[in-house]
Amino acid sequence: MQLVHTIADLRAALAPYQSPAFVPTMGNLHDGHLDLVRQAQPLGDVTVSSIFVNRLQFAPHEDFDTYPRTLQADCARLEQAGCDIVFAPPEKELYPEPQGYKIQPPADLADILEGHFRPGFFIGVCTVVMKLFQCVFSEAKGPRYALFGKKDYQQQMVIRRMVQQFCMPIQVLAGETQRAADGLALSSRNGYLSESERAEAVQLSMSLRALARDALAAAGSLPEKREALEAQAMRALALRGWQPDYLTVRRRADLQPPRAEDALAPQSMVVLGAARLGRTRLIDNFEI
Ligand code: PAF
């Protein structure tokens, strides 16, 4: 496995290949990331991962400074998972000057849910992903693949639409969320949890499963009942000491509230949630 830090070295390392399969990350890797790398392997003729903590997608009060940087351990795990090239640029390599040009994703998809509670988050994500795609795919001649985890459900939708609207010849694939034995979705931020918070953390996924059951039971009357069901789910978490941002039932197609016909159609909805436990903000979702 080759570790490169500059765009020039990355392009040189990729020169012999036609068809990269790419897994962008911010490092501090867990089995969810490694699962994406393993899925990437048979797709292209070279498997590439990036490790870059992207300042642009963090608000000033968020955890950019404390986000765990574990490059050595990440590289060992990537090598074991079969990654061929790791691109770990220093900040000045990707942002040699203040990033004036930015990707503004559409409000209907990107200003709701995560985008509502983390304004500017998807501008930062789309901008760095666009730059990473330029670095990884610019010389490719064959099919190009990019893989994202479904735990960041809205993120993979926003990126998929960006790729479509900019006519980028890249297949965006989404990997299933990997979970701990108790059901907690794997996340780099789980490491922030204290022992007691870690034991409690699974309640977010349990609340979302309960909301999913209630939504399915409501069937065609979901549009009238949805807000009350969501409020009940959020209240239950708040009573356990959480600060929920949202727990909600949405259409898979566009993350808008389901209409009666969506609620009756199979595999058309997703429940999504974000909530803070102590100082840690966790997100999760289930397709239903
Ligand atoms: O999901 C992440 O880790 C990040 O948002 C991404 C896609 C690597 C962009 O910084």
Side-chain angles (χ1 to χ4, degrees), residues 77-99:
R77 302 196 75 191
L78 284 170
E79 184 154 32
Q80 255 188 345
C83 183
D84 300 306
I85 301 173
V86 180
F87 177 45
E91 195 167 22
K92 280 272 175 246
E93 181 70 11
L94 272 198
Y95 299 126
E97 57 189 15
Q99 183 69 28

Side-chain angles (χ1 to χ4, degrees), residues 24-26 33 52 54 57 121 125 128-129 148 152 155 159:
T25 82
M26 295 204 302
H33 297 112
F52 181 69
N54 173 38
Q57 69 192 69
F121 170 67
V125 168
V128 79
V129 168
F148 296 85
D152 297 289
Q155 171 174 275
I159 290 166

Side-chain angles (χ1 to χ4, degrees), residues 169-213:
I170 299 168
Q171 289 187 43
V172 176
L173 303 169
E176 294 303 324
T177 301
Q178 301 297 306
R179 295 181 181 278
D182 67 350
L184 174 68
L186 297 190
S187 162
S188 301
R189 291 191 168 98
N190 291 350
Y192 297 157
L193 298 166
S194 69
E195 209 177 310
S196 60
E197 287 169 346
R198 172 61 191 84
E200 172 66 20
V202 69
Q203 291 296 330
L204 176 59
S205 69
M206 290 172 76
S207 300
L208 285 170
R209 283 187 193 280
L211 177 59
R213 278 194 298 275

Side-chain angles (χ1 to χ4, degrees), residues 32 35-36 39 147-151 156 173-178:
D35 189 60
L36 292 177
Q39 284 181 48
L147 293 89
F148 296 85
K150 273 195 196 172
K151 190 183 76 73
Q156 52 92 23
L173 303 169
E176 294 303 324
T177 301
Q178 301 297 306

Side-chain angles (χ1 to χ4, degrees), residues 30-279:
H30 51 67
D31 284 345
H33 297 112
L34 301 175
D35 189 60
L36 292 177
V37 171
R38 283 188 281 266
Q39 284 181 48
Q41 251 187 323
L43 296 174
D45 59 359
V46 61
T47 304
V48 189
S49 190
S50 61
I51 296 177
F52 181 69
V53 185
N54 173 38
R55 186 188 293 276
L56 228 56
Q57 69 192 69
F58 289 79
H61 65 278
E62 291 183 337
D63 55 344
F64 173 79
D65 288 330
T66 52
Y67 200 88
R69 274 101 167 149
T70 52
L71 182 62
Q72 226 182 332
D74 290 343
C75 285
R77 302 196 75 191
L78 284 170
E79 184 154 32
Q80 255 188 345
C83 183
D84 300 306
I85 301 173
V86 180
F87 177 45
E91 195 167 22
K92 280 272 175 246
E93 181 70 11
L94 272 198
Y95 299 126
E97 57 189 15
Q99 183 69 28
Y101 290 86
K102 292 185 183 155
I103 302 289
Q104 172 86 55
D108 63 323
L109 185 60
D111 288 2
I112 58 172
L113 308 175
E114 283 305 283
H116 176 75
F117 286 96
R118 301 183 69 189
F121 170 67
F122 286 119
I123 295 176
V125 168
C126 287
T127 303
V128 79
V129 168
M130 176 67 93
K131 292 189 81 149
L132 291 168
F133 283 177
Q134 298 300 330
C135 300
V136 171
F137 294 125
S138 60
E139 309 301 315
K141 303 277 181 296
R144 299 130 166 109
Y145 304 92
L147 293 89
F148 296 85
K150 273 195 196 172
K151 190 183 76 73
D152 297 289
Y153 200 85
Q154 189 177 4
Q155 171 174 275
Q156 52 92 23
M157 290 184 67
V158 168
I159 290 166
R160 201 181 288 279
R161 208 195 279 183
M162 175 180 84
V163 163
Q164 274 165 9
Q165 285 206 355
F166 283 106
C167 312
M168 303 170 86
I170 299 168
Q171 289 187 43
V172 176
L173 303 169
E176 294 303 324
T177 301
Q178 301 297 306
R179 295 181 181 278
D182 67 350
L184 174 68
L186 297 190
S187 162
S188 301
R189 291 191 168 98
N190 291 350
Y192 297 157
L193 298 166
S194 69
E195 209 177 310
S196 60
E197 287 169 346
R198 172 61 191 84
E200 172 66 20
V202 69
Q203 291 296 330
L204 176 59
S205 69
M206 290 172 76
S207 300
L208 285 170
R209 283 187 193 280
L211 177 59
R213 278 194 298 275
D214 290 345
L216 289 173
S221 54
L222 182 61
E224 302 90 76
K225 294 186 176 162
R226 183 181 61 88
E227 283 184 7
L229 294 175
E230 292 174 355
Q232 177 185 311
M234 287 176 58
R235 231 177 1 254
L237 262 193
L239 282 173
R240 300 183 66 93
W242 292 69
Q243 291 164 274
D245 282 345
Y246 61 86
L247 273 78
T248 186
V249 191
R250 296 297 167 114
R251 294 202 294 236
R252 284 192 208 181
D254 55 8
L255 299 184
Q256 294 302 312
R259 297 161 307 189
E261 59 267 37
D262 304 311
L264 292 168
Q267 302 188 346
S268 62
M269 296 188 295
V270 56
V271 288
L272 307 107
R276 206 172 291 277
L277 182 59
R279 288 185 304 118

